[in-house]
Amino acid sequence: MEPAGIKMETKSAEWIEATEAKIREAFDLFDTDKADAIIQEEVGTVMRALGAFPTERALVLEILPAMQDDEPTGFVSYAKFEKKMLQILASKEWDPDSGDVLLQAFRTIDTENTGYISSELMEELLTTRGTPFRPKELEDFLKMAKDPETGNIYYEDYVAVLMKGQNM
């Protein structure tokens, strides 16, 4: 089943081949016992490594069921993962938000227009609102975003680093 309006035939053979190689490389990092399968809890992490950022709701209700066999085992095979990821990456449905969208979100939180958000406030928001961050996700975010001297998150700098990473 291909996403509405997106046909794999519209992608070049080179794009498909290069994308398949990237998918295999990312998948293999998590397929530590070389069983050609990963546990379903790692699917979102692998997807994000490939540049697709679905919501947890979409991951659980749409993406995982499409990747699992009729009788879910808690694992996702490479063949099903690759097929679905090619569709997702071709459709760009779960591409990351733009820098402008991210900055607007941070500015909404920064009601006093200081240019930063305290890491304590950010941690509270990320663990109590919406889909809460897992401890490892929160740790990784703060490690990258938090200024070690002040403990604040200077969000324009953080977004600039994120956008630089996307353009590589």
Side-chain angles (χ1 to χ4, degrees), residues 90-157:
S91 74
K92 299 183 176 287
E93 179 181 2
W94 300 110
D95 276 5
D97 288 327
S98 71
D100 291 339
V101 169
L102 294 174
L103 283 172
Q104 187 56 47
F106 280 114
R107 288 179 181 134
T108 300
I109 298 167
D110 179 18
T111 56
E112 296 178 18
N113 261 357
T114 59
Y116 65 87
I117 299 166
S118 75
S119 59
E120 293 82 11
L121 173 60
M122 201 69 208
E123 185 171 345
E124 178 187 336
L125 293 172
L126 293 174
T127 57
T128 63
R129 305 283 170 90
T131 302
F133 272 39
R134 296 181 196 110
K136 178 73 172 126
E137 291 171 320
L138 182 65
E139 177 187 331
D140 290 346
F141 167 75
L142 291 174
K143 190 184 315 179
M144 184 174 188
K146 184 167 85 170
D147 179 69
E149 292 177 22
T150 65
N152 293 324
I153 297 165
Y154 294 92
Y155 51 83
E156 289 186 4
D157 295 341

Side-chain angles (χ1 to χ4, degrees), residues 11 15 17 42 50 68 89 108 116 136-137 158 163:
K11 294 295 182 182
W15 181 90
E17 188 177 318
E42 292 174 335
L50 290 165
Q68 293 176 321
L89 294 172
T108 300
Y116 65 87
K136 178 73 172 126
E137 291 171 320
Y158 175 67
M163 295 300 103

Side-chain angles (χ1 to χ4, degrees), residues 25-54:
E25 182 181 359
F27 189 91
D28 285 349
L29 291 173
F30 291 86
D31 182 15
T32 54
D33 58 1
K34 305 300 174 214
D36 228 24
I38 58 174
I39 60 171
Q40 66 184 14
E41 290 81 5
E42 292 174 335
V43 168
T45 304
V46 180
M47 289 181 71
R48 287 187 289 278
L50 290 165
F53 297 85

